[in-house]
Amino acid sequence: MTITTHAQHWLFDLDDTLHHAGAAVFPMINEYMTRYICHYVGVGRTEADRLRTDYWARYGATLAGLQRHHGIAPQHFLKQTHPMESLLPLIETGTQLPLWLKRLPGRKWVFSNGPQHYVEAIVRHLGIETQIEGCFGMDSFGFTPKPRVAAYTSVLRQAGIHAGNCIMVEDSAANLKTAKRLGMRTAWLSHQCRKPSWVDWRITSLFDLQRI
């Protein structure tokens, strides 16, 4: 039985799944976050870098730590650290992605820890907005990041879909672990040879989904 036989709904991560963010986009966002922490938390650059990475590792998102420990307003932080006029020119377009998504059976959704304005802008920039049923950025699920269960249940409820009818596609194995616990099928976009027990399929390219 093929992977597409199971899929009524696809939940796609955005960064480093639907587009490559690691080379240019993430470093720029990290720089904006470090500057923000310096200014609004009132620490030096070295400490700001440490807090940014520590909160991301501990809570799944830097914002979660800044909210918990420093009372940072989430909307202000996300707007200041994700300026689309600077980020969009770094994201490659003109790929096979729009046509490939059109040919992939099932309904498609984007589920990202990025802010809503960022997710929607990149989906438009990639030219895939007509293939996507809906976009879910962190604003839309209460600023509670993946891999926390509340983020997934909020998205499923808003989309009106059942976990058992979903395949989640992610570059983060940790995020897929929660998806599997909730009853989803899981596809891990990774070049690692070994896959965790909660991953149903390991792929090295999105286009592998139709060939499994």
Side-chain angles (χ1 to χ4, degrees), residues 24-40 45 48-49 52 62 66 76-90 118:
V25 177
F26 280 162
M28 182 168 283
I29 292 173
N30 288 340
E31 175 62 22
Y32 280 119
M33 287 185 178
T34 296
R35 293 180 188 177
Y36 186 98
I37 295 169
C38 286
H39 184 76
Y40 291 100
R45 184 177 180 86
D49 272 329
R52 175 177 58 77
T62 298
L66 291 174
H76 185 261
F77 172 80
L78 293 173
K79 198 71 175 177
Q80 294 291 316
T81 57
H82 293 74
M84 301 316 298
E85 66 276 6
S86 298
L87 298 175
L88 285 182
L90 304 176
Y118 171 86

Side-chain angles (χ1 to χ4, degrees), residues 93-162:
T93 59
T95 68
Q96 303 174 52
L97 184 61
L99 181 59
W100 175 81
L101 282 174
K102 185 176 182 179
R103 291 175 174 172
L104 186 70
R107 300 170 69 193
K108 298 98 181 176
W109 312 79
V110 176
F111 176 22
S112 169
N113 276 348
Q116 190 72 20
H117 77 275
Y118 171 86
V119 176
E120 292 177 355
I122 292 180
V123 165
R124 289 193 301 269
H125 185 72
L126 294 173
I128 60 174
E129 66 272 24
T130 58
Q131 307 305 323
I132 300 299
E133 296 282 341
C135 296
F136 296 97
M138 191 185 289
D139 321 38
S140 69
F141 45 88
F143 303 104
T144 301
K146 296 181 286 184
R148 297 186 191 175
V149 171
Y152 300 71
T153 55
S154 176
V155 167
L156 291 170
R157 183 177 65 254
Q158 292 180 68
I161 56 181
H162 188 271

